């Protein structure tokens, strides 16, 4: 194998996180910034999201996914970022010290160039997430065709021009499933219903209104799909009501005729490469532990977007991508000093997911968080000691909340403070 190809900042993934990181790294002054993407075109999942609703925060207008990606691509190309498309990164080493600083090595596979070894002064992980598949659910019954994740069906319908079926059941209330319920109906399918095992909707409420209620598609909380039936092709599914313990209520099962089941039962950050590189992973989010520079447990590796935590809005993904690119560039240019302090953010009182999980206190930061169960009454979001307090009308797992902290607030904390607790108090 020939000698390793050298780059300053390498980025894995050309979704919104990777694109924002690339532009920011170049604008910060990094020389050779290369985005490695396994798909044949950049944009990530945005390419298949042809519905509107993207970019209200970033551009102040409502764009479709491809429109949003196009705006970023223009910025990225103007900034002089290089792309290596059709390129799968399949292996990564633990970063090592070389000439007194850490570097990271990984391997790519590309049809014309074959297998290549790349050495980068710093790296941004921006691989996004994947959907929880049928195999992870353990639903009883046969294994017929006609069972897809909602995202696969979205790609078929919106990009490839195939209809997965004619009579559809959706399992789970993730946003992609809700959007696909409407999409399948608009493309001529009958959508029989959406079945959700939890007593609450896991996606955005606005998607229930705009994708189900507006089109008369019924949805059932406390219900799950418990059986797949069919030889060759799916002929129907068994559906059951569950109690508060999420166990089936005897006698509540019924058979629903359909030829297609779409699964919208959760997204999982795509971190096989991160694990290979020995990056510390947070068990609740499933993504790397990061500080406000989006720096992981390995100094030269940064991460952004859904690979860190599954965001509800793409605008936040781009914002955190910019942060990762900026600090990865500083690291590559030898301009990022080690943090002098570390604060650990500890969630409590129904706050389940937080990102970032640590802070250096050197920069202003937005901490993103999700609650574990919905609160439908007045409540107070806080960060202690005495950093943040905000009254909310409600807090729901499907919608992220933000806590903004300034560097000056954090620097003024007594030197023995090492923990910041964030929580939600019901008023
Ligand atoms: C199936 C699906 C559908 C979605 N639909 C919607 C929607 O309709 N509306 C909405 O608001 N949000 C949707 N989302 C959420 C969406 O993922 C985020 O808003 C946003 O796209 C995340 O950006 P990202 O850059 O982190 O990841 P992505 O957009 O997923 O980009 C990650 C990129 O990394 C590449 N990659 C991964 N591993 C490798 C590797 N080893 N080598 C090379 N390249 C690699 C992938 O090919 C991909 O292009 C969806 C998510 C999924 C998974």
């Amino acid at each position: 194998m020939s000698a390793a190809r050298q780059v300053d900042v390498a980025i894995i993934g050309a979704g919104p996180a990777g694109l924002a990181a690339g532009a920011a790294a170049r604008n910060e002054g990094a020389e050779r910034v290369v985005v490695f993407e396994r798909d044949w075109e950049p944009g990530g999942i945005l390419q298949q999201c042809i519905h509107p609703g993207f970019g209200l925060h970033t551009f102040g207008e409502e764009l479709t996914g491809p429109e949003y990606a196009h705006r970023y691509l223009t910025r990225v190309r103007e900034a002089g970022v290089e792309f290596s498309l059709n390129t799968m990164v399949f292996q990564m080493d633990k970063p090592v010290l070389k000439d007194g600083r850490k570097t990271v090595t990984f391997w790519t596979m590309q049809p014309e160039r074959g297998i290549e070894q790349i050495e980068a002064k710093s790296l941004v992980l921006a691989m996004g997430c994947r959907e929880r598949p049928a195999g992870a659910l353990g639903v009883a019954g046969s294994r017929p065709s006609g069972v897809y994740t909602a995202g696969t069906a979205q790609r078929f319908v919106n990009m490839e021009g195939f209809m997965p079926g004619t009579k559809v059941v959706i399992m789970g209330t993730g946003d992609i499933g809700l959007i696909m319920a409407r999409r399948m109906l608009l493309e001529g399918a009958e959508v029989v219903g959406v079945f959700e095992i939890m007593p609450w909707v896991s996606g955005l409420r606005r998607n229930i209104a705009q994708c189900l209620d507006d089109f008369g598609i019924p949805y059932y909380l406390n219900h799950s799909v418990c059986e797949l039936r069919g030889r060759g092709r799916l002929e129907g599914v068994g559906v059951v009501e569950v109690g508060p313990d999420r166990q089936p209520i005897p006698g509540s099962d019924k058979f629903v005729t359909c030829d297609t089941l779409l699964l919208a039962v959760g997204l999982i950050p795509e971190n096989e490469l991160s694990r290979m590189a020995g990056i510390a992973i947070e068990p609740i989010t499933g993504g790397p532990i990061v500080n406000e520079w989006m720096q992981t447990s390995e100094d030269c590796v940064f991460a952004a977007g859904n690979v860190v935590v599954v965001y509800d809005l793409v605008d936040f993904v781009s914002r955190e991508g910019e942060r990762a690119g900026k600090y990865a560039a500083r690291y590559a240019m030898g301009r990022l000093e080690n943090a002098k302090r570390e604060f650990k953010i500890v969630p409590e009182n129904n706050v389940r997911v937080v990102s970032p999980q640590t802070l250096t206190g050197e920069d202003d930061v937005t901490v993103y968080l999700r609650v574990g169960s919905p609160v439908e009454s007045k409540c107070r979001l806080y960060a202690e000691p005495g950093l943040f307090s905000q009254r909310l009308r409600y807090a729901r797992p499907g919608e992220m909340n933000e806590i903004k902290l300034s560097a000056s607030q954090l620097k003024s904390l007594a030197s023995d403070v090492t923990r910041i607790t964030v929580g939600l108090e019901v008023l």
Side-chain angles (χ1 to χ4, degrees):
M1 189 186 293
S2 52
R5 206 171 135 199
Q6 310 287 326
V7 308
D8 293 323
V9 180
I11 295 163
I12 307 178
L19 294 179
R26 280 284 301 156
N27 293 337
E28 193 64 18
E31 197 60 34
R32 191 125 200 246
V33 178
V34 185
V35 181
F36 296 86
E37 168 58 53
R38 64 186 170 193
D39 205 343
W40 56 275
E41 61 182 353
I45 288 297
L46 291 179
Q47 297 175 77
Q48 67 187 58
C49 300
I50 62 170
H51 56 278
F54 296 86
L56 272 172
H57 292 251
T58 312
F59 297 109
E61 56 183 309
E62 223 183 350
L63 305 171
T64 63
E67 284 170 335
Y68 186 94
H70 179 74
R71 298 232 178 152
Y72 260 91
L73 272 167
T74 309
R75 287 187 189 181
V76 170
R77 292 200 169 112
E78 281 169 5
V81 175
E82 293 172 51
F83 281 97
S84 181
L85 299 175
N86 271 324
T87 307
M88 178 81 185
V89 180
F90 67 94
Q91 192 173 329
M92 195 186 298
D93 284 349
K94 195 169 166 48
V96 289
L97 268 178
K98 196 174 165 190
D99 303 328
R101 52 184 301 139
K102 280 204 166 174
T103 53
V104 58
T105 303
F106 58 92
W107 279 262
T108 61
M109 203 180 335
Q110 205 266 355
E112 281 91 46
R113 302 170 75 106
I115 290 178
E116 276 191 299
Q117 188 183 5
I118 316 287
E119 199 177 276
K121 290 181 184 163
S122 69
L123 171 74
V124 178
L125 305 167
M127 292 91 73
C129 59
R130 61 167 181 264
E131 298 172 284
R132 185 164 287 124
L137 299 174
V139 179
S142 53
R143 288 293 174 262
S145 65
V147 181
Y148 304 89
T149 60
T152 302
Q154 190 178 50
R155 187 169 179 109
F156 281 170
V157 176
N158 293 350
M159 293 181 74
E160 320 281 351
F162 298 125
M163 269 297 274
T166 57
K167 193 164 179 160
V168 184
V169 163
I170 312 231
M171 181 177 181
T173 49
D175 286 315
I176 312 161
L178 302 178
I179 284 160
M180 279 313 289
R182 177 178 64 183
R183 188 88 196 108
M184 293 294 284
L185 186 129
L186 289 174
E187 290 295 333
E190 180 189 349
V191 183
V192 187
V194 178
F195 297 90
E196 165 61 56
I197 195 167
M198 301 303 282
W200 59 78
V201 172
S202 68
L204 299 174
R205 288 289 169 108
R206 74 157 197 244
N207 280 335
I208 287 282
Q210 293 172 3
C211 300
L212 303 187
D213 295 344
D214 287 357
F215 292 88
I217 299 171
Y219 67 98
Y220 306 88
L221 301 178
N222 296 309
H223 276 75
S224 186
V225 173
C226 58
E227 188 196 349
L228 306 178
R229 219 181 284 175
R231 293 200 170 273
R233 178 77 193 197
L234 186 70
E235 288 160 14
V237 294
V239 171
V240 72
E241 191 175 348
V242 300
D245 55 357
R246 277 192 262 160
Q247 294 304 311
I249 297 173
S252 68
D253 52 308
K254 59 178 182 187
F255 182 74
V256 179
T257 307
C258 62
D259 61 17
T260 304
L261 174 67
L262 301 189
L263 305 172
V265 286
L267 299 171
I268 306 162
E270 178 100 42
N271 276 299
E272 279 64 28
L273 291 171
S274 321
R275 285 197 185 84
M276 280 183 203
I279 307 285
I281 302 286
E282 212 270 313
I284 300 283
T285 57
I289 294 172
V290 289
N291 63 21
E292 76 270 37
W293 297 336
M294 306 313 285
Q295 189 176 35
T296 69
S297 57
E298 289 290 348
D299 293 357
C300 60
V301 181
F302 298 73
N306 280 6
V307 81
V308 176
V309 65
V310 177
Y311 288 87
D312 55 349
L313 293 180
V314 72
D315 308 71
F316 299 156
V317 169
S318 300
R319 198 196 278 171
E320 297 308 271
E322 275 165 28
R323 210 172 248 276
K326 171 176 162 183
Y327 288 99
R330 286 194 187 176
Y331 187 92
M333 295 185 294
R335 281 184 17 216
L336 190 65
E337 290 188 12
N338 289 342
K340 293 171 199 69
R341 289 182 79 172
E342 184 182 275
F343 300 97
K344 189 168 166 31
I345 303 186
V346 183
E348 62 177 20
N349 278 348
N350 196 15
V351 170
R352 190 172 144 73
V353 168
V354 289
S355 178
Q357 297 87 2
T358 67
L359 301 178
T360 67
E362 303 276 332
D363 279 288
D364 296 349
V365 60
T366 302
V367 177
Y368 296 91
L369 53 92
R370 281 182 195 277
V371 291
S373 58
V375 176
E376 297 293 347
S377 59
K378 282 193 187 133
C379 45
R380 185 179 77 91
L381 187 61
Y382 62 82
E384 301 286 358
L387 294 166
F388 181 91
S389 178
Q390 185 186 16
R391 284 165 78 98
L392 304 174
R393 281 187 295 126
Y394 58 83
R396 295 169 184 152
E399 295 167 27
M400 280 181 133
N401 288 96
E402 296 176 68
I403 289 183
K404 289 187 193 295
L405 303 176
S406 68
S408 58
Q409 271 181 304
L410 295 164
K411 282 185 177 145
S412 68
L413 289 174
S415 58
D416 59 345
V417 175
T418 54
R419 285 160 59 101
I420 295 168
T421 47
V422 297
L424 189 85
E425 178 190 27
V426 180
L427 297 173

